[in-house]
């Protein structure tokens, strides 16, 4: 009822107040009366709105308990473990693609011709089972790029090869077909950093 009377007051008094404010020949007292009347209506409306605000209950805060949910038994840990799919044999978990830091390179010769190499680096807990490797030769320098994971081949002549892990060290082997120059003292260079990679003999 009060809200109805308030709305009726706005409907009746608003035109009168506007006429008092902007009518020609009206003195300051009449204009002040119109302004005060509008301000009082506005204050009453805001007070009523704030007074009714706590009574509103947001719909998302009302929770209805489902009796059927209480009747459902809680699954035991063994049932949950049985429902969790286990990885298939021979299928490795998702690896963490990264650019490893090679610790050593072992060269393989056929006669006096270099025909293959093996790169070694520390294995990670999420070791990838494949890596992309590229080798570029410039004289006796062998620039080697290694990146774990099935990434896009970013270098010319890159190959995707399997990775082996033994005693905490990961390694890959690559057979070379384009390196045919006869250099017994090759220097292995990390293509990503430009650092020299130590050579490892077959006996080490």
């Amino acid at each position: 009822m009060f809200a109805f009377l308030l709305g009726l007051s706005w409907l009746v008094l608003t035109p009168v107040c506007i006429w008092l404010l902007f009518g020609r020949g009206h003195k300051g007292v009449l204009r002040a009366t119109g302004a005060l009347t509008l301000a009082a209506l506005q204050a009453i409306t805001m007070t009523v709105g704030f007074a009714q605000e706590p009574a509103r209950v947001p719909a998302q805060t009302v929770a209805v308990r489902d009796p059927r949910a209480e009747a459902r038994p809680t699954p035991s840990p063994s049932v949950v473990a049985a429902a969790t799919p286990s990885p298939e044999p021979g299928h490795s978990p998702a690896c963490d693609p990264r650019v490893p830091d090679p610790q050593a390179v072992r060269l393989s010769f056929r006669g006096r011709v270099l025909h293959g190499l093996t790169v070694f680096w520390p294995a990670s807990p999420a070791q990838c089972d494949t890596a992309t490797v590229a080798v570029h030769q410039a004289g006796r320098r062998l620039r080697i790029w290694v990146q774990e994971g099935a990434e896009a081949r970013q270098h010319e002549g890159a190959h995707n090869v399997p990775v082996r892990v033994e005693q905490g060290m990961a390694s890959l082997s690559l057979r070379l077909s384009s390196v045919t120059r006869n250099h017994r003292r090759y220097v292995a260079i990390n293509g990503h950093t430009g650092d020299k990679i130590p050579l490892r003999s077959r006996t080490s």
Side-chain angles (χ1 to χ4, degrees), residues 98-106 117-123 131-135 142-148 169-172 188-200:
R98 60 170 182 153
V99 176
D101 184 18
Q103 301 295 305
V105 173
R106 185 171 62 201
L117 55 83
T118 303
V119 185
F120 301 87
W121 68 92
T132 301
V133 57
V135 179
L142 300 175
R143 287 191 172 271
I144 303 172
W145 288 267
V146 179
Q147 185 170 1
E148 293 185 17
M169 293 294 294
S171 64
L172 62 83
I189 304 294
N190 187 339
H192 295 286
T193 63
D195 298 332
K196 183 178 178 180
I197 306 174
L199 296 181
R200 174 188 292 187

Side-chain angles (χ1 to χ4, degrees), residues 72-92:
R72 295 174 185 169
T74 303
S76 62
S78 59
V79 175
V80 175
T84 304
S86 58
E88 299 178 1
H91 178 71
S92 60

Side-chain angles (χ1 to χ4, degrees), residues 21 40 81 84 91 109 201:
L21 285 172
T84 304
H91 178 71
F109 292 89
S201 63

Side-chain angles (χ1 to χ4, degrees), residues 22-35:
F22 302 104
R24 292 184 179 181
H26 291 168
K27 297 182 179 181
V29 177
L30 294 177
R31 293 182 178 179
T33 302

